[in-house]
Each structure stands twice: as C-alpha cells, then as structure tokens.
C-alpha cells in the first residue's frame, strides 16, 4: 500500500506490518502503522542504507525550492531509542532482535464475539453518558476522545447494539470515510439476529417482538443536505477528520449527537479538535459531556512499541508542571541549532509537547522537519527550567520571476502575494515565514508571545531579511496580536481551513525599503478588493472578525458618504442610500469602536455584506424589515448623533 493511502486503513487492526523505508523514513508513516498493530504483533522496518550522513529522501517533499539538502537529524534521533530498530547489520538493516514466529499464529486480541466481549470500566462509564444523550435532554452532545487502541470505535458499536435494545429504531453512523467505521460496523455484524441489508445499512430484528431496528451509514455532506429521515441518535466516528464548520452544522441540525475521535497517536487533528471545538461547544450548549478513554485494549499497558513511538515521535502530550506554572522567573529567549537539539532530548520533549498542546495541526512530521530541515530559525522562551514559548520560522523568497501556472515547492506567502499583486518583487525578496508561534496555555495573556515575537523581529536573523510573514486561522484576537507588532493584512482565504473552520489570513511585517513599498501597495489592494468581496464570498464572515480586520484598513476617502447618515435618519428610503451607507459604514470600521450588539451586527450583515433581510433579522428581536429599520434609526442616532448632526449641517 502506498504511504499516501495509509490513512485510509485507519481503524483496522493487524498483526504484522512491513514498512518499506527505502525511500526515506517518514514520521507520519511510522506513527500510522505502529498504531494499527495488535499486542503481540510485529512491525518490521525496511531501512535505507547507510543510515548516517545521508539526507533523508522523505524530507524532499518538505524542502522549499532552492533550499539545500536536509540533514539526517531525524534518523539520528530515532537511533537514540532503546527498542526502535535502527541498527545496521552486516549488509542488512535489521531489527535489534527478531522474534521467533510460530508457523501459525492466533491473533493476540481476537475479534470480540457477543459472548466473549466484556467492556472495560471506562467503556461502561462512557456508555452511561451515551445513554444520557440518547434518552435525556436534547442538545447535550457527548465527546469521547482517546489515544489510538483504546476501543473507541468498538464502544460506538456496543452503544448502537444497546440503543437498539432500549427501543431506538433509527440510528445513523457517519465518518469522513467509510473505512473509518470498520470497527463499529464489524462489531455489529457479529451480533445475533443482525443482518447486512446493503453496504450502508444494517438491520437487527428483536427476537422477542419482531421489531426491526436500523443503522445507516450516511456521509456527512448527505446529512447536511438531506435531513430526512432524521436519526434518533447521530454517532460520528473520527470526528476530528471533519471540519469544525461541518461539525457545528451537524450539531445544530440533529438534537442528539455522540462524537468520538482520536487525539494522540497518529496525527494532530485530534488535538485541534480538543483545542478548538470543545470550548466553542461549551459556549453554545447548556451542557457538553466529555469522556476520555485511556486504558489500551489493542495492546497491553506499557506496550513497548507504543511507548517507543510515543517517546521518539512525541505522540502523546506532556502536561506542564505546577512548579513551572507558578514560576516567577523572568523569561529568557534564545535560538537553537539542530545539532544542539539532537543532544538535548528534554528540550525537544518540551518543544514538541508545547506545539502539540498549542496548535491544531501538529503532526509527527513536524518533529522530522524540525530536526532535519536546513536554514530554519527556532526560538524558545523559557521561565525557570521550563520552555513556555516556541517560535519556528522557515525561509522564503529568492525565487525566479513569477509566471502564471508555474509553482515552486514551498514559499507560500512569497508566491501567493506575487500572484495577487502581479509583482515579481515578492518572489525575489528574502523573508521569514513564521510557521508556529505557541505559548503554553497556562502562560497566555501575559505578554509572553509579544516578548518572544519582538525579540525575534529585532534579531540579526530577522533584520537581514526583507520581511517577516505569517499565515494563520484568522480570529479577532489573533489579528489584534499581530497588528500590535506592525504586521499588515495582505490576503484572506476564501475557504475555511478543514481543521480549524477558520479563514486563513496572511500578514506581513516589512523590514527593508523595497519590502515596505510593495507591502503598502499590497495592503491598499487587499482592502480595495475585500470591500467588494464582503458582499460576495465573505458575506457570512463573523462580525467580530470583519470589524477587527477592517480597523486596519487605509483611511477612507469617502468623506461625502457621511451625508447619507442624516438622510437615512430623516427617513429616506434605505435602497436609495444603500451604496452611500456602505461607504459610510466602512469608513467607521477603520476605527475599532463599532458596537457589536445585535443591531450592530445586523447592520453589518445587510449594509456591508449584503445578506438577505431574513438573515439580518435573525439575531434581533424585530419581526419585520420595517421594525428593524425603525430600531436601526434609533440605534444609529444613539451611537452616531454627533456625526449625524455635523454631517447634516454640512449637507444643508
């Protein structure tokens, strides 16, 4: 199976895996395969030779155009493990010790049968919460998370089986891919009186009364667009593989939802699920149930393969100590070279734990890149003995001229801004792109991120570049943070990010005179185009993000638009003033004082984003357009009376 298809096998259990690493050692592939092997199984790695002093071919895909060959830091790092199998033999690459395999083997953890399966105490506790969601109050979702191999998917199968027996007849199971429901589906197929009606439907007939109970697999997008028939309970496996926007839509649509997802073990979207979605759900629902499975089922506790992969690839987050949280030591900032990291595993441990806890798209491959890529810049902020902040930047620029249809590997910001501004200067200049900026959760809102970023910007490494850029999921809070360090918005992505459900924004801090010139030009171009896009692709943009971004816009030249306000307050028809009112509103948003109460947000939806009147009315107490306009006139007079009087006198 090609590496690119490994994710499609997630959820399966195997006893033997042979991973061909002749084309390079990739961290994600090691983590994926290691998590599929049952206890007593074997993972065989086919290693390249020689192991040292040669670039790792797997890193080629992560090198930007023009960058030198990567080092072998990641390979060296793996060889420091006690059980990870990277010793080179005489002419062959082999396991440190090959096990004696019997001619025929019995799976160490055979597939559970109805008679043999016994839920763990953790699974029973989780079932109790599933039962509460299914039979109790509506709109109280449940999130079940676990590292790999903890029986999360089997638990969903068990829950469906038990819900059938409570009388539920219409249940739906969904996931990003059909392969992700394999464990739950196969568990149910082994139950008595359960039959497969189709690839997407199971039926269980109650032997006592003959009643038929159904389970349907439906793709998530089908659940959004076809809401009937509505399931009594919706169960979502590997929920972190769905975008947060999609999950929120499903939660709004269906009253009883159980979500299960993997957090640690193979990739970072589960971390993003916990970091981003859970707090948002707690703001939206009166109660959100949460349960974590920690006891392994696929293998024994303290399994050597899981332990070694977790330790070498940092697949499990390490919490910060209470002593560190309470540290009153002054923060210190320093930079690191790859060679230093290879000799300081405790430092690498702290950096990776921080990246895992603080960023929603952390991957095992991040470790591979961090220990091997050339020409990167890594900075840490430390209090006492604990690293509480990390800044990781990659070089960009120094490229040939932009040509339509030509794409160089890497250099995300340089190429995008050259394309948007029709200016090859962006590709020829040299800059840093900040890949990660993470502060320990318990140390945020203490100006530590500002201190770390400003120290980097003032360093020789940054000053020698033309600009420093960043790209991140846009929130009002993050926009304000980067703006305080004189980063200017240059582009807002039309599509939401899959993991964060946020639009990605690019911001630039210009250093050299050529960079300052093209940054100012690009800044004006962005707002000229965005003012139009707000009524199109960004018509649904949240009001707080709209106002925070527009507060950074160039000063408006639409002074005459102010005459529209007194006319509207005097009763002139809205439609005849719509364009002038839009110009006036955008000029007001250049000042970060726009009221974001219900009427203020409704005004932005209609006047700036041109949403239908029904959507403008939705979050207000008004029942009609007429009532809404009456409320707006009172609201505008209350908040903008002085300006209306001044412009009205000038107009008269």
């Amino acid at each position: 199976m090609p590496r690119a298809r490994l994710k499609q096998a997630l959820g399966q259990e195997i006893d033997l895996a042979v991973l061909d690493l002749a084309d390079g050692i990739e961290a994600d592939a090691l983590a994926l395969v290691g998590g599929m092997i049952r206890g007593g199984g074997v993972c065989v790695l086919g290693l390249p030779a020689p192991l040292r002093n040669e670039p790792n071919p797997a890193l080629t895909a992560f090198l930007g155009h023009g960058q030198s060959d990567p080092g072998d830091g990641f390979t060296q790092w793996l060889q420091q493990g006690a059980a990870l199998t990277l010793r080179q033999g005489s002419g062959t690459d082999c396991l440190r010790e090959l096990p004696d395999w019997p001619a025929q083997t019995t799976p160490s953890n055979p597939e559970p049968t109805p008679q043999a399966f016994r839920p763990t105490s953790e699974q029973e506790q989780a079932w109790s919460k599933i039962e509460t969601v299914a039979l109790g109050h509506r709109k109280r979702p449940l999130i079940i998370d676990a590292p790999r191999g903890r029986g999360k998917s089997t638990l969903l199968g068990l829950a469906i089986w038990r819900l059938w027996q409570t009388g539920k007849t219409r249940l739906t199971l969904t996931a990003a891919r059909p392969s992700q429901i394999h464990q739950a589906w196969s568990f149910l197929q082994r139950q008595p009186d359960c039959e497969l009606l189709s690839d997407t439907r199971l039926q269980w007939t109650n032997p006592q009364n003959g009643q038929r109970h159904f389970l349907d697999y439906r793709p998530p997008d089908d659940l959004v667009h076809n809401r009937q028939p509505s399931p009594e309970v919706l169960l979502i496996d590997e929920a972190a593989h769905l975008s947060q926007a999609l999950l929120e839509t499903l939660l709004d649509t269906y009253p009883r939802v159980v979500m299960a997802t993997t957090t640690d073990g193979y990739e970072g979207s589960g971390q993003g699920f916990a970091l981003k979605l859970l707090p948002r759900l707690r703001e939206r629902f009166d109660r959100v149930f949460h349960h974590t499975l920690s006891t392994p089922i696929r293998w024994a506790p303290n399994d050597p393969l899981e332990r070694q992969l977790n330790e070498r690839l940092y697949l499990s987050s390490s919490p910060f100590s209470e002593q560190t949280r309470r540290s009153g030591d002054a923060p210190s900032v320093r930079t690191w070279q790859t060679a230093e990291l290879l000799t300081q595993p405790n430092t690498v441990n702290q950096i990776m734990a921080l990246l895992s806890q603080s960023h929603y798209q952390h991957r095992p491959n991040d470790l591979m890149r961090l220990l091997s890529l050339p020409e990167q810049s890594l900075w840490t902020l430390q209090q006492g003995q604990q690293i509480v902040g990390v800044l990781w930047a990659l070089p960009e620029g120094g490229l040939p001229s932009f040509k339509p249809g030509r794409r160089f590997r890497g250099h995300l910001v340089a190429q995008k801004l050259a394309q948007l501004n029709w200016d090859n200067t962006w590709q020829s200049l040299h800059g840093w792109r900040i890949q990660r900026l993470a502060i320990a959760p318990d140390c945020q809102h203490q100006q530590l991120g500002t201190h770390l970023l400003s120290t980097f910007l003032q360093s020789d490494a940054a000053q020698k570049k033309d600009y420093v850029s960043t790209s991140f999921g846009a929130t009002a809070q993050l926009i304000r943070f980067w703006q305080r360090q004189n980063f200017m918005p240059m582009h807002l992505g039309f599509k939401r990010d899959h993991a964060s459900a946020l639009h990605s924004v690019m911001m630039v801090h210009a250093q050299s005179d050529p960079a300052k010139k093209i940054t100012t030009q690009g800044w004006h171009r962005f707002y000229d185009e965005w003012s139009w896009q707000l009524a199109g692709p960004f018509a649904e943009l949240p009001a707080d993000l709209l106002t925070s971004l527009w507060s950074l816009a160039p000063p408006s030249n639409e002074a005459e638009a102010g005459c529209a306000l007194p006319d509207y307050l005097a009763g002139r028809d809205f439609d005849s003033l719509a364009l002038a009112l839009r110009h006036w509103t955008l000029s007001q948003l250049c000042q970060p004082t726009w009221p974001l109460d219900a009427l203020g947000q409704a005004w932005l939806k209609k006047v700036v984003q041109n949403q239908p009147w029904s959507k403008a009315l939705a979050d207000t107490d008004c029942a009609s357009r007429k009532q809404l306009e009456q409320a707006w006139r009172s609201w505008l007079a209350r908040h903008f009376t002085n300006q209306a009087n001044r412009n009205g006198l000038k107009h008269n």
Side-chain angles (χ1 to χ4, degrees), residues 184-358:
W185 200 264
S186 60
F187 175 90
L188 289 165
Q189 286 187 272
R190 294 190 298 273
Q191 308 311 311
D193 302 310
C194 186
E195 60 178 312
L196 183 68
L197 298 183
S198 70
D199 290 342
T200 60
R201 181 166 247 213
L202 288 173
Q203 174 185 286
W204 174 66
T205 303
N206 190 325
Q208 297 180 354
N209 57 22
Q211 186 177 29
R212 294 185 298 173
H213 303 253
F214 298 96
L215 172 70
D216 292 295
Y217 167 76
R218 293 174 59 189
D221 56 345
D222 180 60
L223 287 165
V224 171
H225 297 109
N226 301 298
R227 303 184 180 187
Q228 297 297 330
S230 179
E232 294 171 282
V233 182
L234 173 63
L235 301 100
I236 307 172
D237 204 357
E238 294 301 353
H241 284 247
L242 305 180
S243 73
Q244 292 194 18
L246 178 54
L247 285 172
E248 291 176 7
T249 299
L250 294 175
L251 286 162
D252 289 339
T253 304
Y254 299 99
R256 303 182 190 276
V257 179
V258 175
M259 293 174 284
T261 197
T262 307
T263 50
D264 302 328
Y266 58 90
E267 46 86 23
S269 62
Q271 290 292 338
F273 184 86
L275 289 168
K276 301 293 182 180
L277 182 63
L278 190 55
R280 292 169 68 168
L281 294 186
R282 285 173 172 158
E283 293 176 357
R284 299 177 60 176
F285 296 98
D286 292 336
R287 185 168 185 181
V288 177
F289 295 101
H290 182 210
H291 189 82
T292 298
L293 302 174
S294 57
T295 303
I297 293 176
R298 192 171 297 170
W299 45 74
N302 201 32
D303 177 78
L305 181 60
E306 182 188 37
R307 185 181 68 252
Q308 284 295 317
L309 286 175
N310 284 349
E311 290 177 359
R312 290 290 91 194
L313 302 181
Y314 297 106
L315 302 181
S316 180
S317 303
S318 302
F320 295 95
S321 66
E322 288 295 326
Q323 180 180 3
T324 300
R325 293 170 181 163
R326 297 170 184 167
S327 173
D329 296 340
S332 60
V333 178
R334 63 156 296 178
T335 185
W336 295 86
Q337 302 298 321
T338 300
E340 295 177 280
L341 294 176
L342 292 173
T343 62
Q344 299 197 37
N346 183 54
T347 296
V348 179
N349 180 24
Q350 293 185 50
I351 290 172
M352 298 308 294
L354 183 54
L355 291 177
S356 176
Q357 291 186 30
S358 302

Side-chain angles (χ1 to χ4, degrees), residues 401-421:
S401 296
F402 169 76
K403 294 181 180 179
R406 187 180 186 185
R407 181 75 170 83
F408 298 103
R409 188 168 54 227
H411 306 274
L412 171 70
V413 172
Q415 295 190 86
K416 188 66 176 180
L417 295 184
Q419 177 191 39
L420 292 172
N421 294 281

Side-chain angles (χ1 to χ4, degrees), residues 441-457:
D442 289 350
C443 298
Q444 294 175 5
H445 309 296
Q446 300 177 29
Q447 301 298 310
L448 295 179
T450 298
H451 179 54
L452 177 57
L453 178 57
S454 61
T455 301
F456 170 69
L457 292 175

Side-chain angles (χ1 to χ4, degrees), residues 66-84:
Q67 291 183 336
S68 56
D69 288 337
D72 64 340
F74 179 62
T75 307
Q76 293 182 42
W77 179 259
L78 289 180
Q79 291 180 92
Q80 297 175 16
L84 259 190

Side-chain angles (χ1 to χ4, degrees), residues 461-476:
Q463 291 293 320
K464 291 178 181 178
K465 300 286 188 178
D466 295 292
Y467 65 90
V468 177
S469 68
T470 184
S471 178
F472 57 90
T475 66

